[in-house]
Amino acid sequence: MDRTCEERPAEDGSDEENPDSTETPVRIRDTPEDIVLEAPATGLAFHPARDLLAAGDVDGDVFVFSYSCQEGETKELWSSGHHLKSCRAVAFSEDGQKLVTVSKDKAIHVLDVEQGRLERRISKAHGALLRWGLWPSPLLCSLYSGDGCLGVFNIRRRRFELLSEPQSGDLTSVTLMKYGKKVACGSGEGTIYLFNWNGFGATSDRFALRAESIDCMVPVTESLLCAGSTDGVIRAVNILPNRVVGTVGQHAGEPVEKLALCHCGHLLASSGHDQRLKFWSMAQLRAVVVEDYRRRKKKGGPLRALSSKAWSTADFFAGLREEGEDCAAQGGEEREDDRD
């Protein structure tokens, strides 16, 4: 197994047997290098045991990469272009031997992980466009939708168990928290809705983030999750007590499309409209302790950075403002950002 996720001392490139060696020192990074794609990735998943990352893009192509903190060792292993339309989601099987992909063309594909060979194609698997859900148990599946409702589907009985009351915003993402006792849903209005397990009819709690939209979420611990937003910021959020504790990364000026956590939990991967797959260290976030007591702080103040590559929100938005001001000055007139 690749040792990317394990703690390793940095190599200094010295050669004890040959001190006059002129070999280039091997550089060890905190995180693997960015991966640049030709189109934005709309599906992202880590292998359950190996240092492999799968991505599906809006052109319907699927890629598998090996990643490493050793510079120059992150590389593409294979790609597949079997889907006719954009790939909505990718997921490895539990044993890591198969890769399942879901597409806007309503098809499900099963690929061999080693060679990328298409082993099974289920054409028109659904009558409508597919969206990914959450499988918290062998019996039940939680699905989110654009109508603001959370649905619970019984897989064994093949029927809907119930549908929640509609929320004020579209539900865009869902994840399981608190040892399966809570279901957290992100929304297009920047609010996280919490449901009790076996109590999906109405929300048990909700709280708003300073975000335009919460487009994707991934749990890091039973209380901490990372949420990607349209404003390009990846926020670290604690659930019960509900706190936004800081930022772990960003795609400058571009929406965050997908998030995934590696098998050892030390690396977070993100994809954005900038066509990059980025890696972020989880070391600082895992050391955060959130107290029940909420200290007073300046409303609207900046969020602290929780990784070496992350910016605080003050630096992040200041950089965007400066870039926008430069463009306006060169054009001779000011224009408002359509996203505000």
Side-chain angles (χ1 to χ4, degrees), residues 38-40 42 56-63 80-81 83-87:
E38 294 183 359
T42 48
D57 67 20
V58 295
D59 292 336
D61 296 322
V62 177
F63 304 87
S80 169
H83 281 301
L84 302 178
K85 296 183 179 180
S86 66
C87 181

Side-chain angles (χ1 to χ4, degrees), residues 225-282:
L225 62 81
C226 287
S229 176
T230 303
D231 59 17
V233 180
I234 303 170
R235 292 170 173 82
V237 181
N238 192 85
I239 300 297
L240 299 176
N242 300 330
R243 305 278 194 277
V244 180
V245 296
T247 64
V248 297
Q250 64 284 317
H251 288 256
E254 299 290 344
V256 180
E257 187 70 33
K258 292 291 180 181
L259 296 173
L261 191 70
C262 75
H263 59 89
C264 65
H266 293 169
L267 291 174
L268 179 78
S270 63
S271 65
H273 289 195
D274 54 5
Q275 303 177 194
R276 287 181 175 270
L277 306 182
K278 296 187 175 186
F279 296 87
W280 312 96
S281 172
M282 294 287 98

Side-chain angles (χ1 to χ4, degrees), residues 61-64 78-83 90-93 96-101 108-121:
D61 296 322
V62 177
F63 304 87
V64 169
W78 56 261
S79 63
S80 169
H82 293 291
H83 281 301
V90 296
F92 286 96
S93 61
Q97 297 181 10
K98 310 298 180 186
L99 181 68
V100 181
T101 65
I108 296 175
H109 290 178
V110 180
L111 303 167
D112 172 67
V113 170
E114 293 300 326
Q115 304 295 329
R117 181 178 62 253
L118 179 63
E119 294 194 346
R120 188 180 181 189
R121 176 190 289 114

Side-chain angles (χ1 to χ4, degrees), residues 162-235:
L162 55 88
L163 197 66
S164 76
E165 63 183 13
Q167 310 306 316
S168 57
D170 296 344
L171 301 185
T172 57
S173 50
V174 60
T175 190
L176 201 62
M177 303 295 293
K178 295 293 184 180
Y179 302 96
K181 296 179 181 179
K182 294 287 183 178
V183 175
C185 291
S187 70
E189 63 186 24
T191 298
I192 291 181
Y193 296 92
L194 298 179
F195 295 84
N196 290 323
W197 186 251
N198 292 331
F200 294 106
T203 58
S204 64
D205 199 1
R206 68 186 68 184
F207 69 104
L209 278 61
R210 291 173 50 209
E212 298 176 15
S213 172
I214 303 170
D215 297 330
C216 50
M217 299 191 303
V218 64
V220 178
T221 68
E222 294 300 329
S223 298
L224 284 166
L225 62 81
C226 287
S229 176
T230 303
D231 59 17
V233 180
I234 303 170
R235 292 170 173 82

